Amino acid sequence: MSRIADTFARLRSEGRPGLVTYTAAGDPDLPRSAEILKALDRAGADVLEVGVPFSDPLADGPVIQRATERALAAGGCLRTALSMIEAVRLHVSAPIVVFSYANPLMRMGVSAFAARAAGAGVDGVLALDLPIEEAGSFRSEMKRAGLDTIFLLSPTTTDARIERAAELGSGFLYGISRLGVTGARDTVASGAEALVRRVRQRTSMPIALGFGISRPEHVAQVAAYADAAVVGSALVSTIAEAGSSPDLIDRVEEYVRWLKGAHAHA
Amino acid sequence: MTVTTRRDPDLRGYFGEFGGRYVPETLVEPVEELERAYLAVRDDPAFTIELDRLLKDYVGRPTPLYEAKRLSQASGGARIFLKREDLTHTGAHKINNALGQALLAARMGKRRIVAETGAGQHGVATATACALLGLECHVYMGAEDMDRQALNVFRMRLLGAEVSRVNAGSRTLKDAINEAMRDWVTNVTDTYYLLGSVLGPHPYPLMVREFQSVIGREAREQIVEQTGRLPHAIVACVGGGSNAIGIFDAFIDDREVRLIGVEAGGEQIIRGRHAARFAGGSPGVLQGTRTFVLQDEDGNIELTHSISAGLDYAAIGPEHAWLRAVGRAEYAHVTDSEALDAFQTLSRLEGILPALESAHAIAHAQHVAKQLGPLAIVLINLSGRGDKDVQTVEKNLERKTATTEDTEDTEVKS
């Protein structure tokens, strides 16, 4: 069983909702983004998504776009992201998922990437603009290297494609709670629950739900029907606001504890 | 590999190893819905009749095929013919596609249109089609392009479109496409994305080609009528590549006709200073399609440069990548300075101000004409008119004159 599957199995057996975090590799710089991963793990994040900065993040909203720019300027890219993961792997118990646009992965070469990622201790991969239809050989390469391929599901995903994603994907499914680009919102989208219900009818694979989550009550709300909530833009904003302040790492850790705290009582 | 008459991509939208559908999950179903809707109208005579009527009465098709005799003479070789897409309503080939897709959007019940634009010609064409059909229009344009194509920005606004300035990245066409896609993914239920070139996820490269292929069908008939034969070579500029595909398409099976695409060589072929994908690029995925892309070793997209906003883009249409791979088309590049010279040459010799994009085709066609000799026939797709570019040309000519005077000065002193 993969580290990701293990984590979700444990969450389920403990009846505890999970928290998945997203940060960009190299934001605000490579040494500190490594420290951030360790802080997230200490604060109890259950899965760490590491975003690979890409020049053209067309599915991302302004917050992640800015993070991407900071990370690119600081030397963030697929190679440095993998080196960073390799360096923190021994200090972090949570599974690590590489979250990337397709082009950096293809530029490295899919099999070269699979080998290097597995070597670095990566557990899963999510390629944002590589839908099921384009992911056939990609998924086989990942599987061969022992990596989970995580597929996205959106409110526009048909039931038939949900089934295929559950069949071809492994680890967990990543549900997008609303149409649009990434970004924090005041409330969780009303369509989120309906999406999860459609997924549950078709598969027992765990579901993490993202897009728009920023507060403990969102996490609690999502936890009522999904296996985990994903926090991205709001966490990235916390990093941006802390900037070069010496308490950056503490603030990140505090923020995640705050998010986790509420659903412990939910 | 054999080339058949109807060269559709395969069911997954691939031309050979190029094309496909690399979109975020939310767009998969909308893109499939678009494909179904397009394939339905493609074979619907009522749709074709409606579009053909608009192309004739509103756009002014067929556009003339004109023999540029003074240009031929000056180029010291072949007879040169110009397919006058610059004479369409709105002044460029872009209207052929914009009208076709706007009609399709209306049929799909989408009342809001988003589009990207580089030089502004596609934005103007889309704003025009939306005005005509009573659709809401929102155009995204890079900040740098808005500055260098100010006239077209004003035209779009006069036509009732909302134009948004995009400050991200290189602030040109690529960034405008990112922003248009973000809008689409957010408003996908009531919004139609009217992409302006043979780029993006399937079915766009196919659909845009089909709407532009009217250029080649007309040109083929006209050249045979005027010369009694097919041309030896066809030359067209290639940004995304829609005007080139549009004129190439009718000649694909005529293996004796050379098809030549001309990319923007910019200042020179060094990283960041050009937009010649086949000179400095490699296969990659950008904005929904797998094709030749200018990228660095980490897979980030490189900055591009061209004097013409319409050619200033890091990827080329996937069908072009395929035509090159199978050896059916060849690609060259022309520098800013050569394009500027061709702009003036055509203006002075023929009384036609070409778009700076089309000036790239003129510049290269002059070489081809010389090389092929007086018995040959060269057909150029004059994809657009140059009014939008006069300020850019003026600025660059001043700079050029200043540089020349500086040089002369130095020479006198030394």
Side-chain angles (χ1 to χ4, degrees), chain A residues 101-128:
Chain A
Y101 285 84
N103 201 51
L105 305 175
M106 293 183 167
R107 181 65 164 163
M108 181 174 280
V110 171
S111 54
F113 163 72
R116 286 167 80 163
V122 170
D123 301 289
V125 187
L126 194 159
L128 206 84

Side-chain angles (χ1 to χ4, degrees), chain B residues 5-24:
Chain B
T5 309
R6 205 169 197 189
R7 292 153 306 106
D8 278 6
D10 69 17
L11 289 174
R12 292 167 58 226
Y14 279 87
F15 299 91
E17 57 170 311
F18 302 106
R21 194 175 263 167
Y22 295 84
V23 292

Side-chain angles (χ1 to χ4, degrees), chain B residues 46-59:
Chain B
F47 183 87
T48 310
I49 288 167
E50 192 179 3
L51 179 57
D52 285 351
R53 185 184 56 78
L54 282 174
L55 290 176
K56 176 170 172 283
D57 300 335
Y58 187 73
V59 175

Side-chain angles (χ1 to χ4, degrees), chain A residues 55-56 79 103 134 157 161, chain B residues 14 21 25 174 285 298:
Chain A
S55 56
D56 290 83
R79 283 178 296 136
N103 201 51
E134 299 290 357
T157 305
R161 294 186 75 256
Chain B
Y14 279 87
R21 194 175 263 167
E25 180 60 29
K174 169 175 77 74
V285 169
D298 294 313

